[in-house]
Amino acid sequence: MKKIAILTSGGDAPGMNAAIRSVARTALAKGIQVYGVSYGYKGLVEGDINEFDRFTVSEKIDKGGTFLRSARYPEFFDTEVQQVAAKQLKDRDISSLVVIGGDGSFKGAEALSQFGIQVIGIPGTIDNDLDYTDYSIGFDTAVNTVVEAIDKLRDTSSSHQRCNIVEVMGRNCGDIAIRSAIATGAKYLASPETNYSREALVADLQQQFSDGIRYSIVVMTEHLDEPYELAKYVQYQTGIETRATILGHVQRGGSPTAFDRHLAVSFGRLAGELIIDGISNHIVGIKDGQFIHVPITEGLNAPVRDRQFDITTFNVTR
Ligand code: ADP
Ligand code: F6P
């Protein structure tokens, strides 16, 4: 009988549980034995691998986080460590592994395939930074979390006629910032895809307030600037009272939206079917409304998705 394992790796994302459940149910329905690996590649190397039954994944579809837990485990870059991980699976006659995570986790999966493990990846990251797919699990929930927070910040910013600089996650990808800036009618967007500079921000805010706007929300992707220091700088340069809010890890939690659950369940089913069909070294995704799968290397080298329409939409509608 075929045996498969599932793990979650890298930063967690709402919807990972729904994806684990879907892979497990798809496989169990075909009489395949399913194992959960705890703590990502770390747990794999340490042999933290436990068999699922049908009820292991019950009551998980609505839960944020990952019940398999996750980890960042830099030791996994080492080929000898990868070999130990492959042996842990082979010792249990587990031939296949589904990895739910981001690009780093997919590279780990690709490495494992060199040791004869059948691997399939499911994109799970709030950053939405995988260009081969239009969406990854968790992004929609994170954007909704940001939108809810900014709606609240708008209330207080408007009462006090302030500027509020809101830092959101995304690593090197501006999708969370871009989507939430559009959805909240923010007044300024700073993301890796826009040419951010302090000077341009200050000039824009000065223009906004001289045009009669009484408060402003600036949405900014992390790592572009230091928000608290920037708030002081903006206030000093413009005379506009300015505050900074770093939304941080709140963006990684919470019950997944219906969109993310649907994505997770669909990706999970596809991943399970690919395993059954003997396909390896592929990652699943969604492109132009179609569920797809591509070789890991092709997916990781996909051309950068065009974000210009969204950025222009923000600029003309803000
Ligand atoms: P994400 O999967 O969200 O991009 P990371 O980049 O932190 O998150 O990667 C998650 C884990 O995947 C790493 O901690 C490491 O264990 C493994 N990993 C990342 N890159 C590689 C690589 N090039 N080779 C082998 N394993 C990797
Ligand atoms: O990749 C997801 C993410 O939340 C990024 O947006 C962020 O830069 C990073 O992970 C934070 O990592 P950690 O949880 O290790 O602090």
Side-chain angles (χ1 to χ4, degrees):
M1 186 197 281
K2 195 174 173 82
K3 295 181 182 179
I4 72 161
I6 308 168
L7 65 76
T8 48
S9 166
D12 64 346
M16 281 184 161
N17 284 324
I20 298 165
R21 171 185 172 276
S22 177
V23 175
R25 291 264 159 98
T26 304
L28 289 167
K30 294 280 180 192
I32 293 169
Q33 268 178 278
V34 179
Y35 290 76
V37 181
S38 299
Y39 301 101
Y41 291 121
K42 181 172 189 295
L44 185 58
V45 170
E46 292 170 0
D48 198 345
I49 304 168
N50 299 290
E51 191 177 350
F52 279 6
D53 61 31
R54 197 178 160 72
F55 303 107
T56 310
V57 291
S58 297
E59 297 173 26
K60 300 283 192 294
I61 198 164
D62 58 331
K63 304 291 186 298
T66 159
F67 82 93
L68 284 178
R69 316 296 177 201
S70 192
R72 299 203 202 268
Y73 184 60
E75 290 84 342
F76 207 67
F77 285 74
D78 185 334
T79 317
E80 282 174 23
V81 176
Q82 295 160 5
Q83 204 162 2
V84 172
K87 186 169 182 313
Q88 290 285 14
L89 292 171
K90 287 177 185 170
D91 285 352
R92 292 167 175 80
D93 289 325
I94 300 171
S95 57
S96 319
L97 179 70
V98 174
V99 172
I100 308 169
D103 59 341
S105 303
F106 291 165
K107 285 176 197 155
E110 198 169 33
L112 274 176
S113 76
Q114 308 294 314
F115 296 100
I117 305 296
Q118 181 195 14
V119 295
I120 295 291
I122 297 179
T125 163
I126 65 162
D127 298 337
N128 213 37
D129 58 350
L130 295 159
D131 287 299
Y132 78 94
T133 179
D134 289 339
Y135 293 103
S136 58
I137 298 167
F139 169 65
D140 186 64
T141 307
V143 169
N144 277 284
T145 300
V146 171
V147 166
E148 195 183 332
I150 293 179
D151 286 347
K152 289 177 178 164
L153 287 170
R154 192 186 14 234
D155 292 345
T156 171
S157 303
S158 132
S159 300
H160 289 269
Q161 305 196 13
R162 284 174 176 160
C163 170
N164 206 315
I165 298 164
V166 187
E167 185 194 91
V168 300
M169 282 186 167
R171 208 174 283 213
N172 300 314
C173 174
D175 280 11
I176 296 177
I178 296 167
R179 286 291 168 96
S180 52
I182 292 172
T184 55
K187 283 284 168 272
Y188 198 87
L189 166 69
S191 81
E193 300 81 8
T194 66
N195 288 319
Y196 168 72
S197 75
R198 281 191 173 193
E199 294 67 31
L201 170 62
V202 162
D204 197 278
L205 286 170
Q206 276 165 333
Q207 188 63 52
Q208 288 178 30
F209 278 74
S210 75
D211 285 348
I213 276 169
R214 288 175 295 105
Y215 71 96
S216 189
I217 300 284
V218 174
V219 182
M220 174 174 279
T221 304
E222 62 184 346
H223 308 311
L224 288 181
D225 208 324
E226 203 294 297
Y228 296 120
E229 214 261 304
L230 175 63
K232 285 185 193 148
Y233 176 83
V234 166
Q235 182 163 317
Y236 179 76
Q237 293 290 330
T238 63
I240 303 161
E241 207 180 349
T242 303
R243 297 286 187 270
T245 306
I246 298 176
L247 292 180
H249 286 81
V250 72
Q251 295 162 91
R252 287 246 296 268
S255 180
T257 58
F259 182 91
D260 273 333
R261 293 183 201 190
H262 173 254
L263 203 61
V265 173
S266 308
F267 284 169
R269 174 192 151 190
L270 181 54
E273 286 173 352
L274 293 173
I275 292 280
I276 292 161
D277 292 346
I279 291 170
S280 182
N281 237 326
H282 275 221
I283 43 185
V284 303
I286 184 165
K287 202 79 196 159
D288 303 324
Q290 303 293 317
F291 289 99
I292 55 153
H293 59 96
V294 296
I296 295 180
T297 325
E298 185 185 316
L300 293 182
N301 292 310
V304 175
R305 222 181 312 115
D306 185 11
R307 293 168 173 91
Q308 215 43 53
F309 183 82
D310 273 347
I311 291 171
T312 313
T313 302
F314 171 78
N315 284 327
V316 300
T317 59
R318 74 192 173 125

